[in-house]
Amino acid sequence: MRRTYQNIKISLMYAMWRLQVALCTLSVLSLSFAGESKARSCSEVRQAYNAKGLSLVNVPHQEISGEHLRVCPQGYTCCTSDMEDKLSQQSKLEFENLVEESSHNMRTTFVSRHKKFDEFFLELLDNSEKSLNSMFTRTYGKLYMQNSEVFQDLFTELKRYYTGGNVNLEEMLNDFWARLLERMFQLLNSQYHFSDDYLECVSKYTDQLKPFGDVPRKLKAQVTRAFIAARTFVQGLMVGREVANRVAKVNVVPACVRALTKMLYCPYCRSMPGLKPCHNYCHNVMRGCLANQADLDAEWNLFIDAMLLVADRLEGPFNIETVIEPIDIKISEAIMTLQDNSMQLSAKVFQGCGQPKPSGIGRSTRGISDVFSARFRPYTPEQRPTTAAGTSLDRLRVVWRTMQHSVIEIKEKLKESKRFWSNLPDDICAEGKLTEPDEDQCWNSHTKGRYFPEVVREGLTNQVNNPEVDVDITRPDTLIRQQIMALRVMTNKLKNAYNGNDIYFQDSSDEGSSSGSGSGCSDGCTTEFVFVGSEAPVIGADRSDERAAAAGKSLSHGPSLLLVMAALTVSLWATHPRWR
């Protein structure tokens, strides 16, 4: 009986103990629940929200129920529906600014380098023309002034070609030599009268008789190769700038805005405004939002490679002093060839074109003897001019060297821009800049903690499995596709220029041109380009009111543009007579 009583007593005590444990557990759970259900303060969120320039009106002081949220996790929150909408707008704006800022240096490179190159090249042309005009005016006086349009037209057409006119360089240079032969032939045979038809006949014998020797052919090859490269290169800089500017103005679709809001500002709604997103999380969001931009990368890299090839042509391996003297000698030999063979040349022309009529006036005493019978020779180092012409030559040398350094600098900047668009998410998501380096103390899309999903590859088609951005891979961005086509067209032009082949450029003075620039331009003009549909931008402003033949084929690649430009000036100066 006593044992039964003790067993009952023990059972009751055990039951009471279990009841106490149960009550304690319920008490702890209730206290825990009460602690969790107690709304937290939103003071930090209010402060961060206001720092963004957003109004604190209707911003809660304590957490509220979050069933109304459409983007951020529901539950107790510091965000109202209005706040979530404003934070979505803020996310879109900040993303656009991030892309603009990340591409700023690259875009500025194309703008500034184009401006420099264009200024240097046009200065080289202007100085060449002014120096030639100054020297020939002092040397030949009225005789040069009466024939100066031959040289003026040469520079006008060279400049018009560079700035976008439809000029056939080969035909233009052939015309220059033919016109120069006509003028000199008249002066060498001033006792005769020549009609326009007769002079046209004379010009037809230029290729057959080669009155200037082989110099016109060599100079034509050098000038055409150099100008083709220069014009295409400067257009490439402008195409790069326009493409970069257009692509940098990213089209932010609703799915991207939603993902950006969730990444950048849902921590606000969860009372953790200072929490940055996880690095891999940021990568998935950015690769989803910049999927179309990444698809530009392949064509962009080919474009940059082609620009670098043409830059190699422009840079040139030789020093200017080692090139000027040989070119000078060649031009002098050409003039001497004409003088030495003037009698035979005249006889063959008379035989082919007929005997001209006497003018009734004998040779002028300053015709053959003083002006064109003199033997031409290049300056020796001791004879190098110290007059204004010499000063101009020094100026050209300074411009050439500056331009050479500019091309070297451009090459380095171009190399840095390769793979820019595919690397853009990496640049934006750089650790410490936008993301949290500690993988366990970052925002993972719903709370603080590690982000586990894998990072998807770049490009539109790879976003089919993106866990953060719902990307429609069946609808590529139209603007991006147009820029891909523009780069493809420009790359083809650059490859042609590298091989020395001339290419068609739209002349804005042509009827039906869609550039809208008009024809003619003030002295302050620089080369500009206009997008026509999905084609590459073309140089819009023609610097002359005259029209020329459509662009034709040129020769294969050759020496430095910069050297040829300096040589062209000296070539023309070389016609300065040296009196015996």
Side-chain angles (χ1 to χ4, degrees):
M1 184 69 179
R2 179 177 293 179
R3 179 173 295 178
T4 302
Y5 175 75
Q6 287 179 345
N7 288 339
I8 293 173
K9 184 177 181 182
I10 291 171
S11 298
L12 288 172
M13 290 177 63
Y14 179 71
M16 289 294 294
W17 177 79
R18 292 195 61 178
L19 180 61
Q20 288 178 351
V21 170
L23 289 173
C24 287
T25 302
L26 288 172
S27 177
V28 170
L29 289 174
S30 63
L31 288 173
S32 176
F33 178 78
E36 287 185 357
S37 62
K38 183 179 179 181
R40 288 181 293 183
S41 171
C42 294
S43 59
E44 291 185 11
V45 175
R46 287 173 58 86
Q47 184 178 356
Y49 189 80
N50 191 43
K52 295 290 181 181
L54 302 173
S55 173
L56 292 177
V57 176
N58 298 325
V59 176
H61 289 272
Q62 290 185 322
E63 289 183 332
I64 59 176
S65 179
E67 292 85 356
H68 55 275
L69 297 179
R70 297 186 302 276
V71 176
C72 296
Q74 295 181 342
Y76 282 94
T77 181
C78 286
C79 291
T80 62
S81 295
D82 182 62
M83 288 176 65
E84 191 179 45
D85 291 340
K86 288 182 178 178
L87 290 173
S88 292
Q89 297 172 14
Q90 185 71 16
S91 299
K92 179 177 180 294
L93 178 63
E94 290 186 7
F95 173 65
E96 291 171 342
N97 290 337
L98 281 170
V99 176
E100 288 270 353
E101 291 171 6
S102 298
S103 63
H104 175 75
N105 288 338
M106 186 266 290
R107 290 182 289 112
T108 301
T109 292
F110 280 93
V111 174
S112 60
R113 271 56 184 185
H114 164 266
K115 188 173 185 293
K116 276 187 177 182
F117 185 88
D118 199 49
E119 288 175 351
F120 289 150
F121 193 90
L122 291 174
E123 184 180 1
L124 208 59
L125 274 175
D126 289 339
N127 282 354
S128 299
E129 183 175 12
K130 290 174 183 177
S131 299
L132 174 73
N133 183 69
S134 176
M135 172 172 279
F136 275 40
T137 299
R138 291 196 308 273
T139 303
Y140 302 114
K142 185 177 180 180
L143 187 62
Y144 164 70
M145 295 173 67
Q146 291 173 342
N147 297 278
S148 62
E149 72 274 8
V150 176
F151 299 97
Q152 291 173 359
D153 290 347
L154 171 65
F155 282 100
T156 296
E157 289 300 286
L158 286 174
K159 186 180 293 185
R160 198 165 78 85
Y161 174 84
Y162 172 71
T163 55
N166 292 330
V167 178
N168 187 307
L169 281 178
E170 284 194 72
E171 292 181 2
M172 184 271 292
L173 290 169
N174 287 340
D175 183 61
F176 165 74
W177 289 105
R179 291 177 68 192
L180 186 60
L181 175 62
E182 289 179 9
R183 301 300 174 94
M184 293 189 70
F185 186 80
Q186 292 180 81
L187 292 169
L188 288 166
N189 298 277
S190 57
Q191 70 274 31
Y192 295 106
H193 171 73
F194 299 100
S195 65
D196 291 340
D197 290 339
Y198 195 97
L199 292 175
E200 184 177 349
C201 179
V202 172
S203 66
K204 291 179 180 179
Y205 281 85
T206 303
D207 292 337
Q208 178 183 342
L209 300 178
K210 298 187 184 303
F212 298 104
D214 203 33
V215 172
R217 182 186 66 82
K218 292 179 178 179
L219 190 61
K220 178 173 65 177
Q222 292 174 342
V223 169
T224 52
R225 290 187 293 239
F227 272 77
I228 289 168
R231 184 169 79 160
T232 310
F233 186 72
V234 79
Q235 189 200 25
L237 290 173
M238 284 300 295
V239 170
R241 187 197 77 171
E242 291 302 320
V243 168
N245 281 342
R246 287 169 180 257
V247 176
K249 295 186 182 301
V250 61
N251 177 31
V252 191
V253 297
C256 175
V257 175
R258 182 182 179 87
L260 290 167
T261 305
K262 193 173 184 181
M263 181 183 77
L264 296 174
Y265 286 112
C266 282
Y268 280 50
C269 298
R270 297 289 288 173
S271 301
M272 296 179 285
L275 190 62
K276 292 182 178 180
C278 299
H279 189 256
N280 288 349
Y281 176 33
C282 178
H283 265 285
N284 276 338
V285 173
M286 291 302 165
R287 288 190 176 181
C289 290
L290 296 170
N292 284 282
Q293 280 73 9
D295 281 351
L296 185 78
D297 211 51
E299 203 63 49
W300 177 265
N301 292 338
L302 292 174
F303 163 70
I304 295 299
D305 286 339
M307 287 288 290
L308 290 171
L309 287 175
V310 176
D312 287 339
R313 289 278 181 259
L314 298 174
E315 188 179 345
F318 305 113
N319 184 280
I320 186 170
E321 284 81 6
T322 64
V323 175
I324 284 180
E325 297 302 335
I327 293 293
D328 197 346
I329 292 172
K330 289 176 183 177
I331 294 294
S332 299
E333 288 175 353
I335 300 298
M336 286 189 286
T337 298
L338 177 63
Q339 292 179 203
D340 289 342
N341 301 308
S342 61
M343 298 298 292
Q344 297 93 319
L345 173 66
S346 296
K348 289 181 180 179
V349 170
F350 293 162
Q351 182 180 358
C353 298
Q355 187 68 27
K357 297 179 180 180
S359 63
I361 303 175
R363 287 177 180 242
S364 66
T365 56
R366 183 171 160 75
I368 296 299
S369 60
D370 291 338
V371 179
F372 287 106
S373 289
R375 303 286 283 183
F376 293 80
R377 63 180 184 273
Y379 292 115
T380 64
E382 295 77 17
Q383 295 172 321
R384 196 168 297 280
T386 57
T387 61
T391 303
S392 297
L393 181 60
D394 292 336
R395 172 60 183 159
L396 285 174
R397 187 174 287 110
V398 170
V399 173
W400 179 86
R401 286 172 178 166
T402 306
M403 191 172 176
Q404 188 180 45
H405 288 308
S406 176
V407 172
I408 294 172
E409 183 187 16
I410 290 172
K411 286 177 61 178
E412 293 304 313
K413 294 294 184 181
L414 288 173
K415 290 176 184 177
E416 293 174 5
S417 70
K418 287 196 69 174
R419 289 192 56 79
F420 174 82
W421 301 106
S422 60
N423 288 334
L424 188 55
D426 298 343
D427 295 337
I428 292 176
C429 294
E431 291 183 358
K433 179 180 178 181
L434 182 67
T435 61
E436 171 59 52
D438 190 337
E439 295 182 2
D440 294 315
Q441 299 295 317
C442 55
W443 174 253
N444 63 11
S445 79
H446 57 278
T447 188
K448 180 193 291 187
R450 185 178 292 268
Y451 181 78
F452 291 102
E454 293 184 359
V455 177
V456 298
R457 297 179 61 186
E458 67 271 2
L460 184 62
T461 56
N462 291 317
Q463 305 313 305
V464 65
N465 296 318
N466 193 312
E468 307 303 336
V469 188
D470 184 15
V471 181
D472 186 352
I473 64 172
T474 65
R475 299 183 62 185
D477 187 284
T478 303
L479 177 65
I480 299 297
R481 302 301 143 179
Q482 288 177 348
Q483 306 318 302
I484 289 174
M485 180 59 68
L487 289 173
R488 191 168 296 161
V489 171
M490 191 66 242
T491 299
N492 183 57
K493 290 181 179 181
L494 288 163
K495 289 179 178 178
N496 275 282
Y498 175 77
N499 292 320
N501 298 321
D502 208 351
I503 42 185
Y504 174 77
F505 281 75
Q506 180 176 337
D507 188 341
S508 63
S509 64
D510 288 341
E511 292 181 8
S513 168
S514 55
S515 71
S517 315
S519 61
C521 192
S522 63
D523 293 338
C525 288
T526 57
T527 49
E528 289 296 338
F529 305 84
V530 180
F531 278 96
V532 182
S534 61
E535 291 293 316
V538 295
I539 303 177
D542 187 355
R543 312 297 166 78
S544 170
D545 291 330
E546 298 181 2
R547 304 271 294 277
K553 292 275 184 178
S554 187
L555 300 174
S556 60
H557 53 274
S560 162
L561 152 75
L562 312 176
L563 303 180
V564 170
M565 283 306 304
L568 177 61
T569 304
V570 176
S571 301
L572 297 173
W573 281 344
T575 56
H576 181 190
R578 290 295 199 163
W579 314 122
R580 286 183 173 272

